[in-house]
Amino acid sequence: MKVDIANYESVIYKTPGKFEDTRFEKIHNVIFESSQKASVLVAQEIANLIREKNALNESCVLGLATGSSPVKVYEELVRMHKEENLSFANVITFNLDEYLSMDRTNIQSYFYFMHEHLFNHVDILPENINIPDGKVKAEDLYQYCIDYEMKIKAHGGLDFQLLGIGRTGHIGFNEPGSHFNSGTRSITLDHITRIDAAPAFLGIDNVPRKAITMGIGTVQSAKRIVLLGWGISKAKILKKTIEGEITSQVPATYLQEHNNTTFVLDKDASSELTRVKTPWLVTSCIWTDTLKLKAVVWLSALTDKPFLKLTDKDYNDNGMSSLLTEDGTAYNLNIKMFNKMQHTITGWPGGKPFADDTNRPERATPEKKRVIIFSPHPDDDMISMGGTIDRLVEQGHDVHVAYQTSGNIAVSDEEALKFAEISKSLNANSVESDSIINFLKSKTDNNIDSIEVRKLKGLIRRSESLAATRYLGVDDSNVYFLDLPFYETGTVKKNKLSDDDIDIMCSLIDHVKPHQIYAAGDLADPHGTHKVCLDSLFEALKKLKHYSYMNDCWVWLYRGAWHEWEPYQIEMAVPMSPDQVLKKRHAIFYHQSQKDGVMFQGDDSREFWVRVEDRNRLTAKKYNDLGLADYAAIEAFKRYKF
Ligand code: F6R
């Protein structure tokens, strides 16, 4: 099959620099601004193939993946089926994998996933759907796997294989150690893979340990392969896969040997590739101010020297001589970069009244600002910017805190039971407490929490949030619980943003008419709620931007518990004294239900307050390493201009 990748190339994400030099790369890849656009194009490639085959009266054999990566591709295929008459009547599918011992009716099964996202909404014939059977008996497994392979071959092999990639470098469930010519077989899941699946299973203990997967050899036999990579959490493994040596330790590197593979990436997923991260190493660059800062920060880390000690030789030796040509000498450039970073530091996040603000991150006027802090879950505010909230309140600004979601699914059943039992002790006749206690005591894995239980869990998080905001001196009347409807499904899988969500955001912004908005710009949250919350803000800003009060509104993005801005991205750095670090720790402690092994820990087993203290300390250290003042901790923000 000849694949026309021209349609991918035409929308490739372009940056001000010239990033076409791909000499470190061993797999063809294209980078898009967003996974949405990219998914539409991939869906179009699949649809074209289905139609081409149909015109020839041939069946189209698709290898399909599950997980978060292909969801938007399936969504677009369903749309094309409904609106553009794309028929799946000639399509035969083979799924990559399934958890072992998993019943197909279980909502965690890949069988369920595929039907929910694709098969139930298109005209594929049920007999043309092939998904490994998680319930196959141990004694039948060997033959079952051979039959799966044979069936693919009998249909002429896979015309197209869609893939995601795990952080271990797995494709399908071919974990590190998988052989290049492996076939369909059972496999033990890597610990990292299980951690990544934990949110969907409400805790790692519930994640299966084994799976059936197509082999590397099976995947490699496909005539065309497209791998989807979205988000910052995939950036490191994608660099290894695309630029590294072929190794069984990163099974996706085997794709380097396939002659018709394209990796379709979004901007974040591509961020570790040499041509994106350090373009000056592969090509001549257009040196924008941001790129200059990024490069000099990188050089400083590489040479282990503060800005002001970098020499002409350091620049020349590391592919940055063209930068020196533009800026004269290392001396000039170093001072420029030093000042740029220096100007990001302020102890006055709301602006310093009556001061010259030419080189300050925030305006001096109005002296007292109205501020909204949006927090996706009820604790992100304290975790990510507790020190800054403290300063804003102390410096007399009118601070409002809005919790965008109830955060109810992150409260454990044990915690909820404890509160229900207290409530029952206070009021022995409470029917509601009885029903909650009964529900929780008889709850099984597949149960979605009852409305009452969700309400109780949400209330627990409300009380914790109020305790923390009170501690920092925010008035209760300035604290809002928006309970955005997209979140209220009772499961990890959320609804799409709707006008109801945006309207709630708009009406709060319109009510406060803020001079400053703070929001989580953290897109690496393992189950995506931060991203949706950010989108809800962006949509609200779009709707409101013609109101005159919005001309005075600046938006600052903090990052949640998982990642931090890189030094070159930071536009406001708020230092904290050792006392303020302790105060912030205390504020986080009020979120008791999120302590001691929380349900959505991600891949970092430290408690939130520990990891955020480390992170704030590290940011301060990075500033100090660049030659700036030595602070105990720093909270970092980047401005979003709309
Ligand atoms: C899914 C599969 C896996 C996933 C990979 C990425 O059928 O075989 O290889 O593609 O784990 O998962 P997501 O897309 O959820 O990040």
Side-chain angles (χ1 to χ4, degrees), residues 22-35:
T22 54
R23 75 187 136 91
F24 285 98
E25 299 177 7
K26 298 161 184 164
I27 297 181
H28 174 246
N29 64 85
V30 287
I31 305 166
F32 290 80
E33 190 68 54
S34 81
S35 59

Side-chain angles (χ1 to χ4, degrees), residues 59 184 219 244 309 388-389 499 546 562 577 579 608 615:
S59 52
T184 301
V219 170
K309 286 191 178 162
T388 305
I389 299 178
D499 287 346
H546 46 271
W562 321 98
S577 68
D579 282 351
F608 286 123
R615 190 176 89 183

Side-chain angles (χ1 to χ4, degrees), residues 64-70 95-97 110 163-167 170-174 193 213 228 230 234:
L64 297 180
T66 53
S68 59
S69 307
N95 260 82
L96 280 165
D97 39 22
Y110 286 168
L163 294 176
I165 184 168
R167 285 190 309 129
H170 72 214
I171 46 176
F173 274 141
N174 291 283
T193 300
T213 181
L228 311 172
W230 317 136
K234 301 288 172 73

Side-chain angles (χ1 to χ4, degrees), residues 61-65 92-98 110-111 114 119 128-134 136 140-158 161 183-185 212-215 218-219 221:
V61 186
L62 301 179
L64 297 180
I92 300 173
T93 62
F94 288 89
N95 260 82
L96 280 165
D97 39 22
E98 178 61 281
Y110 286 168
F111 183 95
M114 286 310 300
F119 299 147
N128 285 349
I129 297 172
N130 299 280
I131 302 174
D133 179 3
V136 63
D140 299 334
L141 189 66
Y142 180 72
Q143 189 57 44
Y144 180 86
C145 291
I146 292 178
D147 292 347
Y148 202 74
E149 290 279 325
M150 298 307 288
K151 197 165 178 191
I152 296 173
K153 287 206 176 90
H155 284 290
L158 301 165
Q161 175 66 57
T184 301
R185 68 200 186 289
I212 305 187
T213 181
M214 275 186 196
T218 332
V219 170
S221 70

